[in-house]
Amino acid sequence: MRSEELGETLLPKRLALPIFASDPLSSVAYATQEILLVLTVGGTAFLYLTPWVAAGVVALMAVVVMSYRQVVHAYPSGGGSYEVVSRNLGANSGLVVAASLLVDYVMTVAVSVASGVDNIISALPSLADHRVELALGFVLLLMAMNLRGVRESGKAFAAPTYLFIGAILLMVVTGLIRVAFGDAPVASSAAYGIVPEDGKDTLAGLGLLMLGLRAFASGCTALTGVEAISNGVPAFRAPKSRNAAATMAVMGTTAVVMFVGITALALISDVHIAEDTCHLSGFPGDCASAPQQTVIAQLAAAVFGGDHSVLFYAVQAVTALVLILAANTAFNGFPLLASILAEHRYLPRQMHTRGDRLAFSNGIIALAVVAGGLIWLYDADVTSLIHLYILGVFTSFTLSQIGMVRHWNRTLATETDPAVRGAAQRSRAINFSGGVTTALVLVIVLLTKFTQGAWLAVVAAVVLWLMMRGIRRHYDRVAEELAVDDARDGSAQDGSARAGAVRPSRVHGIVLVSQVHKPTLRALGYAQAFAPDSLEALTVAVERDATGELERRWRELDVQVPLKVLDSPYREIGKPVVQYVREQRRSSPQDAVAVFIPEYVVGRWWEHLLHNQSALWLKSRLLFTPGVMVISVPWQLTSSNKANRPSRRAPGAVRRGEPTARSEQAARSEQAKAEAPERA
């Protein structure tokens, strides 16, 4: 796609919702399950806490959504939490948010895909032994779809997301109607007992409080991905801020309704689930290897008449699909944030480059590789991965709300319009409430999850923070080194220093020669065309007979360039050449040395192994010598002709400036249209 077509990739609200909100919408599929898994460590004794924990999660969702609606209005340029914190709390705090979000985006992919595979296995238990392979395959599929571009991936993901919302709401409404008519659904696990962990069924006081807080922290997975809309405001159609805020409101409302409905049905149908399957008394089969059904699977079976009904399979299919596609939130958020960080010189600049389909291809590929590695390392186990989750989200939530409070304080310090001041005061109150709430949740998450694996996410964020600061220092150091000195500019008489190119006193040309053939003669001709002040050919005498033959041919062809032969008693080629070139520099420091190296251009990958090895080594050494210019003089072998043909299938051809058949045809068509009025 041409750069001018970027506007055509902007998203209407109906596509933006599945692209940016599929993660928080799909998180309801496992948020209730994570709450129950924590509370059942005490058997069934503490399941009465479930409604209170769920109420806390709902209240937190409302606060966070309202807070981020203020962000999208105040900072419509994208960047979300990173931009808010960087502008209001400083660059270092902004990097804390950026590192936390990058880690959390990786975890979003890993957890969403692993959870989706769990739901597939709930419907098809025979696939349990292929859990990791399935998860990695889905990550590759998501990467490929996102490399096709934002709009294309949005169209592909819209239907599954809306089908998931419809299926969950249908299940909830059907279940509640059955309850209203006295036919409450009963889960298949309702008859199982739950064996409590040692001493956990008698928890009281502080121990019970910590258990409730741990369940709340696990339930907060429902909030993951909420900030993605604030990061992606530039991808919305105009008016961007209003459309983004409306999409966020729809996302929050829908997620809350589904989460409350699933939690209510889980309690009504008496779902029993445990972290260790062997703690379920009465569980059929081998508890060490047979998987449990997920909460969604149990509810669908209870509401729709068993785990062989059509609607059961329909719910499982769309749930698994949307959980896997929920990783798309990260595949949009991670590359966007990485692009902004690269633009600010905190990440390699390649992250800011758009690919052929105007997607940030390098960020997409990097995310897929790291998330795939985590899935492989943790065997695609949701319970193990979930402990690394949500820490980064609440770090960014908290700092961004504090940053927004400072933003509104600055606005109020200069604003005199009563209407604007009133709106700013309301927004400040919302952001202050959000900051206090999310700070408390962050403390809870740290206390309850740190020793269970969250420490690894903290370490990863710290390493990322240090790495980004190091990259910025490197770019700043290079920029300072390359900057033109103003004082020197003023003193330069001919303006050459102003251009950064101080003219050498003389240029001494050296053509490297291995044998007398066409590439050598072309390099000699090219060097002579440069008209250096002096020119010589240089060869290394490794074998006396071969060197003698080369000198004989040189005289026979009457080459008008002197041939210098370097002796090499230890049969080295590179070292004598490098030493000779450096001696030329030392003898005349004000002169420049131009080294011309003939090279073969080949068309097959294996031919690179057979040619140019000495040339590559010499170039790598000479490039580190100040005042030495290395010039490659190519000679195209026959095999290179095929590689040089324009190909419609060459990825990146148009972006790299290589014309494809389609682009050439389009150019001719545009030229004909332009000339048509003139002919008329």
Side-chain angles (χ1 to χ4, degrees), residues 72-400:
V72 300
H73 283 297
Y75 293 93
S77 59
S81 300
Y82 167 70
E83 183 178 5
V84 170
V85 176
S86 296
R87 288 195 183 185
N88 295 288
L89 301 181
N92 286 335
S93 298
L95 285 185
V96 171
V97 169
S100 301
L101 283 176
L102 290 176
V103 170
D104 218 70
Y105 282 137
V106 172
M107 295 311 306
T108 294
V109 175
V111 172
S112 295
V113 170
S115 184
V117 171
D118 263 1
N119 278 272
I120 293 174
I121 292 172
S122 291
L124 302 169
S126 60
L127 296 176
D129 293 336
H130 305 287
R131 181 188 302 271
V132 176
E133 292 84 352
L134 283 171
L136 292 176
F138 285 127
V139 171
L140 288 175
L141 178 63
L142 285 167
M143 180 187 75
M145 294 178 72
N146 277 277
L147 288 174
R148 287 290 300 163
V150 173
R151 189 177 179 88
E152 282 72 13
S153 64
K155 290 177 179 177
F157 299 160
T161 302
Y162 287 123
L163 285 173
F164 170 73
I165 294 171
I168 295 298
L169 292 179
L170 175 64
M171 182 181 73
V172 169
V173 170
T174 303
L176 294 178
I177 290 175
R178 287 183 56 180
V179 171
F181 282 92
D183 181 26
V186 179
S188 58
S189 62
Y192 304 163
I194 304 178
V195 179
E197 295 182 12
D198 295 338
K200 295 291 178 65
D201 56 335
T202 58
L203 287 175
L206 183 60
L208 183 59
L209 175 63
M210 291 302 296
L211 180 67
L213 292 177
R214 184 180 158 199
F216 173 70
S218 294
C220 286
T221 53
L223 278 78
T224 55
V226 169
E227 80 293 336
I229 291 177
S230 67
N231 291 334
V233 177
F236 283 79
R237 285 182 179 173
K240 295 178 182 291
S241 293
R242 191 173 71 186
N243 286 337
T247 304
M248 185 166 283
V250 172
M251 176 269 295
T253 304
T254 307
V256 164
V257 169
M258 291 194 296
F259 173 69
V260 170
I262 290 170
T263 305
L265 275 185
L267 293 174
I268 292 169
S269 60
D270 206 16
V271 169
H272 288 169
I273 192 167
E275 192 167 328
D276 185 352
T277 307
C278 292
H279 284 185
L280 294 174
S281 57
F283 181 80
D286 183 7
C287 66
S289 59
Q292 299 179 67
Q293 280 192 329
T294 61
V295 168
I296 290 291
Q298 294 189 44
L299 293 179
V303 170
F304 295 127
D307 56 8
H308 293 290
S309 64
V310 173
L311 287 177
F312 166 80
Y313 283 111
V315 170
Q316 287 306 102
V318 296
T319 301
L321 187 57
V322 81
L323 278 167
I324 292 167
L325 298 184
N328 191 59
T329 297
F331 272 105
N332 281 278
F334 183 100
L336 272 173
L337 180 57
S339 169
I340 294 170
L341 288 167
E343 186 179 10
H344 296 168
R345 297 183 296 180
Y346 289 113
L347 284 179
R349 288 174 179 170
Q350 294 91 327
M351 291 293 183
H352 189 55
T353 303
R354 290 185 183 270
D356 306 294
R357 301 294 299 177
L358 297 177
F360 294 111
S361 306
N362 293 324
I364 291 169
I365 294 171
L367 174 61
V369 169
V370 179
L374 274 176
I375 288 172
W376 174 78
L377 187 64
Y378 285 91
D379 294 324
D381 181 50
V382 177
T383 304
S384 299
L385 290 167
I386 207 79
H387 296 310
L388 311 179
Y389 208 15
I390 77 173
L391 187 65
V393 167
F394 282 99
T395 301
S396 65
F397 282 174
T398 303
L399 289 176
S400 68

Side-chain angles (χ1 to χ4, degrees), residues 1-23:
M1 297 181 69
R2 295 169 63 89
S3 297
E4 293 81 1
E5 296 178 83
L6 182 61
E8 298 178 18
T9 67
L10 297 179
L11 303 169
K13 293 191 290 292
R14 69 178 185 278
L15 289 182
L17 183 68
I19 286 180
F20 290 111
S22 56
D23 180 22

Side-chain angles (χ1 to χ4, degrees), residues 7 12 39 46 172 238 259 310 326 359 385 445 476 516 523 551 600 672:
L39 294 179
F46 304 119
V172 169
F259 173 69
V310 173
L385 290 167
V445 170
D476 288 346
V516 181
E551 290 179 302
Y600 304 134

Side-chain angles (χ1 to χ4, degrees), residues 443-499:
V443 173
I444 292 169
V445 170
L446 276 172
L447 290 175
T448 57
K449 288 183 173 288
F450 190 83
T451 57
Q452 295 180 324
W455 65 269
L456 188 59
V458 174
V459 170
V462 170
V463 170
L464 260 178
W465 185 84
L466 292 172
M467 183 190 75
M468 289 189 289
R469 280 180 56 85
I471 291 173
R472 177 59 187 262
R473 280 197 301 270
H474 168 77
Y475 278 135
D476 288 346
R477 188 165 56 246
V478 170
E480 183 179 355
E481 184 177 341
L482 300 181
V484 178
D485 187 355
D486 293 337
R488 189 178 64 183
D489 286 353
S491 63
Q493 296 179 358
D494 60 356
S496 61
R498 201 183 320 277

